[in-house]
Amino acid sequence: MLQLVSDKPQTLKEFTENNYAQAAFFWNILLKNKDIRVNGVRVGGDMLLQAGDTVCYYLTAKQAEKLAFYPVYRDENVLIIDKESGVNSEAVFAALAREQVCYFIHRLDRNTKGLMVFALNEKTEKALLAAFKEKRVEKRYHALCLGSLPKSEEVLTAYLKKDGDRAQVKVFSKEVAGSEKIVTEYRVLEKTDGLTRVEVVLHTGKTHQIRAHLAYIGCPIVGDMKYGNTAKNKALKVSRQCLVAKRLRFQLNGELSYLNAKEFCSRFKAELI
């Protein structure tokens, strides 16, 4: 049993997805069996929590052991993990924070797999936040796309605008009111059966940039149900984007410069599952 306390008004589902990945994996089963209790009362559906509400999760040993992420590297300053698809970044942080002091540096989309970095002390947190902001962290993504990319490699430029009401973004060829410039570089790795695997480097890091930009040029990521081809995704029986935060390198200064000699790689591949 794991007991957690809600820190603000929110739905039980939202709280679960951001705090306990294993319970989120088995959400429907837990509700059906009424294996979640709120303030001591068994619940069989989603509900609104208030700040201070106590939530208890009663998972089987097998359910609780399902991994949401894998360790990649750790020292006294930095922790790097490999996140599974279907896991909120916030839930990874919550799980880590229950075991140790750590600091949230960046996030990945729920259905994107791959590498995430956490700081283990305040000094490292400050240094990593500055490095991410100043583009001194090189992140390479692998994506499996529908169709063929126009060139074997290219640096794409466009403009992205957020639509907060729809929780998505839109890409334009020219600057429009409220838009931000985006630069996305890709390199084709492999072509097979109408699909293309590419490596992507972000020169700007905006919300859903890779997914939206590749869809804009006519090669959406396989499994992307927000920006992709719904019919083809259903035909391929995939509903999570085949996108992996694959490689990570640092360009750090001072005491953390020892990390610059290392390259970190995700175990995951951008492929049909």
Side-chain angles (χ1 to χ4, degrees), residues 23-61:
F25 285 142
F26 301 102
W27 172 253
N28 291 329
I29 295 173
L30 294 175
L31 289 181
K32 180 180 179 181
N33 295 335
K34 294 189 175 182
D35 286 331
I36 301 176
R37 296 183 184 183
V38 177
N39 298 326
V41 179
R42 293 178 178 269
V43 298
D46 199 8
M47 60 177 290
L48 182 64
L49 300 177
Q50 299 299 325
D53 282 349
T54 298
V55 182
C56 294
Y57 299 92
Y58 295 85
L59 276 67
T60 66

Short mmCIF file of all heavy atoms in Angstrom, two decimals, residues 23-61:
data_model
loop_
_atom_site.label_atom_id
_atom_site.label_comp_id
_atom_site.label_asym_id
_atom_site.label_seq_id
_atom_site.Cartn_x
_atom_site.Cartn_y
_atom_site.Cartn_z
N ALA A 23 0.18 3.02 -10.43
CA ALA A 23 -1.27 3.08 -10.30
C ALA A 23 -1.91 3.61 -11.57
O ALA A 23 -3.02 3.19 -11.94
CB ALA A 23 -1.65 3.97 -9.12
N ALA A 24 -1.23 4.52 -12.26
CA ALA A 24 -1.75 5.03 -13.54
C ALA A 24 -1.79 3.92 -14.59
O ALA A 24 -2.72 3.84 -15.40
CB ALA A 24 -0.89 6.19 -14.02
N PHE A 25 -0.77 3.04 -14.59
CA PHE A 25 -0.75 1.91 -15.52
C PHE A 25 -2.00 1.04 -15.35
O PHE A 25 -2.58 0.55 -16.32
CB PHE A 25 0.48 1.02 -15.28
CG PHE A 25 1.79 1.58 -15.77
CD1 PHE A 25 2.94 1.39 -15.03
CD2 PHE A 25 1.88 2.26 -16.97
CE1 PHE A 25 4.16 1.88 -15.48
CE2 PHE A 25 3.08 2.75 -17.43
CZ PHE A 25 4.23 2.57 -16.68
N PHE A 26 -2.42 0.83 -14.10
CA PHE A 26 -3.51 -0.10 -13.80
C PHE A 26 -4.77 0.64 -13.32
O PHE A 26 -5.57 0.10 -12.57
CB PHE A 26 -3.04 -1.11 -12.74
CG PHE A 26 -1.85 -1.91 -13.18
CD1 PHE A 26 -0.58 -1.60 -12.71
CD2 PHE A 26 -1.98 -2.95 -14.08
CE1 PHE A 26 0.53 -2.32 -13.12
CE2 PHE A 26 -0.88 -3.68 -14.51
CZ PHE A 26 0.38 -3.37 -14.02
N TRP A 27 -4.92 1.86 -13.77
CA TRP A 27 -6.00 2.74 -13.33
C TRP A 27 -7.36 2.10 -13.40
O TRP A 27 -8.10 2.05 -12.42
CB TRP A 27 -5.95 4.02 -14.15
CG TRP A 27 -7.09 4.97 -13.98
CD1 TRP A 27 -8.11 5.20 -14.86
CD2 TRP A 27 -7.34 5.83 -12.86
NE1 TRP A 27 -8.96 6.16 -14.38
CE2 TRP A 27 -8.51 6.56 -13.15
CE3 TRP A 27 -6.70 6.06 -11.65
CZ2 TRP A 27 -9.06 7.49 -12.27
CZ3 TRP A 27 -7.22 6.99 -10.77
CH2 TRP A 27 -8.39 7.69 -11.08
N ASN A 28 -7.73 1.58 -14.55
CA ASN A 28 -9.08 1.00 -14.73
C ASN A 28 -9.29 -0.22 -13.84
O ASN A 28 -10.38 -0.41 -13.27
CB ASN A 28 -9.31 0.64 -16.20
CG ASN A 28 -9.43 1.87 -17.07
OD1 ASN A 28 -9.90 2.92 -16.63
ND2 ASN A 28 -9.00 1.76 -18.32
N ILE A 29 -8.26 -1.06 -13.72
CA ILE A 29 -8.37 -2.26 -12.89
C ILE A 29 -8.52 -1.88 -11.42
O ILE A 29 -9.36 -2.44 -10.69
CB ILE A 29 -7.14 -3.16 -13.08
CG1 ILE A 29 -7.09 -3.69 -14.52
CG2 ILE A 29 -7.16 -4.32 -12.09
CD1 ILE A 29 -5.81 -4.46 -14.83
N LEU A 30 -7.76 -0.89 -10.98
CA LEU A 30 -7.82 -0.47 -9.58
C LEU A 30 -9.20 0.10 -9.25
O LEU A 30 -9.75 -0.16 -8.17
CB LEU A 30 -6.74 0.57 -9.30
CG LEU A 30 -5.29 0.07 -9.37
CD1 LEU A 30 -4.32 1.23 -9.20
CD2 LEU A 30 -5.03 -1.01 -8.31
N LEU A 31 -9.74 0.88 -10.18
CA LEU A 31 -11.08 1.43 -9.94
C LEU A 31 -12.13 0.33 -9.93
O LEU A 31 -13.03 0.32 -9.08
CB LEU A 31 -11.42 2.46 -11.01
CG LEU A 31 -10.65 3.78 -10.95
CD1 LEU A 31 -11.13 4.71 -12.06
CD2 LEU A 31 -10.82 4.46 -9.59
N LYS A 32 -12.03 -0.60 -10.87
CA LYS A 32 -13.00 -1.70 -10.94
C LYS A 32 -13.01 -2.50 -9.65
O LYS A 32 -14.08 -2.89 -9.16
CB LYS A 32 -12.66 -2.60 -12.13
CG LYS A 32 -13.62 -3.77 -12.29
CD LYS A 32 -13.24 -4.63 -13.49
CE LYS A 32 -14.18 -5.82 -13.64
NZ LYS A 32 -13.81 -6.68 -14.80
N ASN A 33 -11.82 -2.76 -9.10
CA ASN A 33 -11.71 -3.56 -7.89
C ASN A 33 -11.80 -2.71 -6.61
O ASN A 33 -11.70 -3.25 -5.50
CB ASN A 33 -10.39 -4.32 -7.88
CG ASN A 33 -10.30 -5.35 -9.00
OD1 ASN A 33 -11.32 -5.84 -9.48
ND2 ASN A 33 -9.08 -5.66 -9.42
N LYS A 34 -11.99 -1.40 -6.80
CA LYS A 34 -12.04 -0.45 -5.68
C LYS A 34 -10.81 -0.59 -4.77
O LYS A 34 -10.92 -0.64 -3.54
CB LYS A 34 -13.33 -0.63 -4.89
CG LYS A 34 -14.58 -0.26 -5.70
CD LYS A 34 -15.84 -0.23 -4.85
CE LYS A 34 -17.02 0.26 -5.68
NZ LYS A 34 -18.26 0.36 -4.87
N ASP A 35 -9.65 -0.60 -5.43
CA ASP A 35 -8.39 -0.73 -4.72
C ASP A 35 -7.72 0.62 -4.46
O ASP A 35 -6.52 0.69 -4.20
CB ASP A 35 -7.44 -1.64 -5.50
CG ASP A 35 -7.83 -3.11 -5.39
OD1 ASP A 35 -8.43 -3.47 -4.37
OD2 ASP A 35 -7.54 -3.88 -6.33
N ILE A 36 -8.50 1.69 -4.60
CA ILE A 36 -8.04 3.02 -4.23
C ILE A 36 -9.00 3.56 -3.17
O ILE A 36 -10.22 3.47 -3.33
CB ILE A 36 -8.01 3.98 -5.44
CG1 ILE A 36 -7.10 3.43 -6.55
CG2 ILE A 36 -7.53 5.37 -5.01
CD1 ILE A 36 -7.10 4.27 -7.81
N ARG A 37 -8.44 4.11 -2.11
CA ARG A 37 -9.27 4.70 -1.07
C ARG A 37 -8.90 6.18 -0.91
O ARG A 37 -7.72 6.53 -0.90
CB ARG A 37 -9.06 3.99 0.27
CG ARG A 37 -9.51 2.53 0.26
CD ARG A 37 -9.34 1.90 1.64
NE ARG A 37 -9.68 0.49 1.61
CZ ARG A 37 -9.68 -0.29 2.70
NH1 ARG A 37 -9.36 0.23 3.88
NH2 ARG A 37 -9.98 -1.57 2.61
N VAL A 38 -9.92 7.02 -0.82
CA VAL A 38 -9.73 8.44 -0.57
C VAL A 38 -10.30 8.75 0.80
O VAL A 38 -11.49 8.53 1.04
CB VAL A 38 -10.41 9.30 -1.65
CG1 VAL A 38 -10.26 10.78 -1.33
CG2 VAL A 38 -9.81 9.00 -3.02
N ASN A 39 -9.45 9.20 1.70
CA ASN A 39 -9.85 9.47 3.09
C ASN A 39 -10.52 8.25 3.72
O ASN A 39 -11.51 8.35 4.45
CB ASN A 39 -10.76 10.69 3.16
CG ASN A 39 -10.07 11.95 2.68
OD1 ASN A 39 -8.87 12.12 2.86
ND2 ASN A 39 -10.82 12.85 2.05
N GLY A 40 -9.99 7.08 3.37
CA GLY A 40 -10.47 5.83 3.95
C GLY A 40 -11.65 5.20 3.26
O GLY A 40 -12.06 4.10 3.62
N VAL A 41 -12.20 5.86 2.23
CA VAL A 41 -13.39 5.35 1.54
C VAL A 41 -12.99 4.79 0.17
O VAL A 41 -12.31 5.47 -0.62
CB VAL A 41 -14.44 6.47 1.35
CG1 VAL A 41 -15.66 5.94 0.60
CG2 VAL A 41 -14.84 7.03 2.71
N ARG A 42 -13.40 3.56 -0.12
CA ARG A 42 -13.11 2.96 -1.42
C ARG A 42 -13.83 3.72 -2.53
O ARG A 42 -14.99 4.11 -2.37
CB ARG A 42 -13.57 1.50 -1.45
CG ARG A 42 -12.77 0.57 -0.54
CD ARG A 42 -13.33 -0.84 -0.60
NE ARG A 42 -12.59 -1.77 0.23
CZ ARG A 42 -11.56 -2.49 -0.19
NH1 ARG A 42 -11.14 -2.37 -1.44
NH2 ARG A 42 -10.93 -3.32 0.63
N VAL A 43 -13.14 3.94 -3.65
CA VAL A 43 -13.74 4.67 -4.76
C VAL A 43 -13.71 3.80 -6.02
O VAL A 43 -12.79 3.02 -6.23
CB VAL A 43 -13.03 6.01 -5.02
CG1 VAL A 43 -13.15 6.92 -3.82
CG2 VAL A 43 -11.56 5.81 -5.38
N GLY A 44 -14.74 3.97 -6.85
CA GLY A 44 -14.85 3.18 -8.07
C GLY A 44 -14.82 4.02 -9.32
O GLY A 44 -15.10 3.53 -10.42
N GLY A 45 -14.45 5.30 -9.17
CA GLY A 45 -14.40 6.19 -10.33
C GLY A 45 -13.60 7.43 -10.00
O GLY A 45 -13.20 7.66 -8.86
N ASP A 46 -13.37 8.23 -11.02
CA ASP A 46 -12.63 9.47 -10.82
C ASP A 46 -13.44 10.42 -9.93
O ASP A 46 -14.67 10.35 -9.88
CB ASP A 46 -12.33 10.12 -12.17
CG ASP A 46 -11.20 11.13 -12.09
OD1 ASP A 46 -10.54 11.22 -11.03
OD2 ASP A 46 -10.97 11.84 -13.10
N MET A 47 -12.75 11.31 -9.26
CA MET A 47 -13.43 12.25 -8.38
C MET A 47 -12.52 13.47 -8.16
O MET A 47 -11.33 13.44 -8.48
CB MET A 47 -13.75 11.61 -7.03
CG MET A 47 -12.53 11.13 -6.27
SD MET A 47 -12.91 10.45 -4.63
CE MET A 47 -13.37 11.95 -3.76
N LEU A 48 -13.06 14.52 -7.62
CA LEU A 48 -12.29 15.71 -7.33
C LEU A 48 -11.69 15.61 -5.94
O LEU A 48 -12.40 15.36 -4.96
CB LEU A 48 -13.17 16.96 -7.43
CG LEU A 48 -12.46 18.30 -7.19
CD1 LEU A 48 -11.40 18.53 -8.28
CD2 LEU A 48 -13.47 19.45 -7.17
N LEU A 49 -10.38 15.79 -5.87
CA LEU A 49 -9.69 15.82 -4.59
C LEU A 49 -9.52 17.26 -4.12
O LEU A 49 -9.46 18.19 -4.92
CB LEU A 49 -8.29 15.19 -4.71
CG LEU A 49 -8.20 13.73 -5.16
CD1 LEU A 49 -6.74 13.33 -5.29
CD2 LEU A 49 -8.92 12.81 -4.19
N GLN A 50 -9.41 17.42 -2.82
CA GLN A 50 -9.08 18.71 -2.23
C GLN A 50 -7.70 18.63 -1.60
O GLN A 50 -7.19 17.53 -1.32
CB GLN A 50 -10.13 19.10 -1.18
CG GLN A 50 -11.54 19.22 -1.72
CD GLN A 50 -11.67 20.30 -2.78
OE1 GLN A 50 -11.00 21.34 -2.73
NE2 GLN A 50 -12.53 20.06 -3.76
N ALA A 51 -7.07 19.77 -1.39
CA ALA A 51 -5.78 19.79 -0.73
C ALA A 51 -5.91 19.14 0.65
O ALA A 51 -6.84 19.44 1.40
CB ALA A 51 -5.28 21.22 -0.59
N GLY A 52 -5.01 18.21 0.95
CA GLY A 52 -5.04 17.52 2.23
C GLY A 52 -5.72 16.18 2.20
O GLY A 52 -5.63 15.41 3.17
N ASP A 53 -6.43 15.85 1.11
CA ASP A 53 -7.06 14.54 1.01
C ASP A 53 -5.99 13.45 0.95
O ASP A 53 -4.96 13.59 0.28
CB ASP A 53 -7.93 14.45 -0.24
CG ASP A 53 -9.26 15.16 -0.08
OD1 ASP A 53 -9.59 15.53 1.06
OD2 ASP A 53 -9.97 15.35 -1.10
N THR A 54 -6.26 12.35 1.63
CA THR A 54 -5.33 11.22 1.67
C THR A 54 -5.79 10.14 0.69
O THR A 54 -6.96 9.73 0.70
CB THR A 54 -5.27 10.61 3.08
OG1 THR A 54 -4.79 11.61 3.99
CG2 THR A 54 -4.34 9.40 3.12
N VAL A 55 -4.85 9.70 -0.16
CA VAL A 55 -5.16 8.68 -1.16
C VAL A 55 -4.28 7.46 -0.88
O VAL A 55 -3.06 7.57 -0.77
CB VAL A 55 -4.89 9.19 -2.59
CG1 VAL A 55 -5.27 8.12 -3.61
CG2 VAL A 55 -5.65 10.49 -2.85
N CYS A 56 -4.92 6.30 -0.76
CA CYS A 56 -4.20 5.05 -0.53
C CYS A 56 -4.40 4.12 -1.72
O CYS A 56 -5.54 3.90 -2.16
CB CYS A 56 -4.69 4.37 0.75
SG CYS A 56 -4.31 5.29 2.25
N TYR A 57 -3.31 3.59 -2.24
CA TYR A 57 -3.35 2.69 -3.39
C TYR A 57 -2.97 1.29 -2.92
O TYR A 57 -1.93 1.09 -2.28
CB TYR A 57 -2.36 3.14 -4.46
CG TYR A 57 -2.63 4.52 -5.01
CD1 TYR A 57 -2.02 5.64 -4.45
CD2 TYR A 57 -3.49 4.71 -6.08
CE1 TYR A 57 -2.24 6.92 -4.95
CE2 TYR A 57 -3.72 5.98 -6.59
CZ TYR A 57 -3.10 7.07 -6.02
OH TYR A 57 -3.33 8.34 -6.53
N TYR A 58 -3.80 0.30 -3.27
CA TYR A 58 -3.57 -1.08 -2.88
C TYR A 58 -3.28 -1.89 -4.15
O TYR A 58 -4.18 -2.45 -4.77
CB TYR A 58 -4.77 -1.65 -2.14
CG TYR A 58 -5.00 -0.96 -0.81
CD1 TYR A 58 -5.74 0.22 -0.74
CD2 TYR A 58 -4.47 -1.48 0.38
CE1 TYR A 58 -5.95 0.86 0.48
CE2 TYR A 58 -4.68 -0.85 1.60
CZ TYR A 58 -5.41 0.32 1.63
OH TYR A 58 -5.61 0.96 2.84
N LEU A 59 -2.02 -1.91 -4.55
CA LEU A 59 -1.61 -2.65 -5.74
C LEU A 59 -1.11 -4.03 -5.35
O LEU A 59 -0.61 -4.23 -4.23
CB LEU A 59 -0.50 -1.91 -6.49
CG LEU A 59 -0.92 -0.81 -7.47
CD1 LEU A 59 -1.55 0.37 -6.74
CD2 LEU A 59 0.27 -0.34 -8.30
N THR A 60 -1.23 -4.98 -6.27
CA THR A 60 -0.60 -6.28 -6.04
C THR A 60 0.91 -6.09 -6.16
O THR A 60 1.39 -5.09 -6.71
CB THR A 60 -1.06 -7.31 -7.08
OG1 THR A 60 -0.60 -6.91 -8.38
CG2 THR A 60 -2.58 -7.42 -7.11
N ALA A 61 1.66 -7.05 -5.67
CA ALA A 61 3.12 -6.97 -5.77
C ALA A 61 3.57 -6.87 -7.22
O ALA A 61 4.48 -6.10 -7.55
CB ALA A 61 3.75 -8.18 -5.09
#
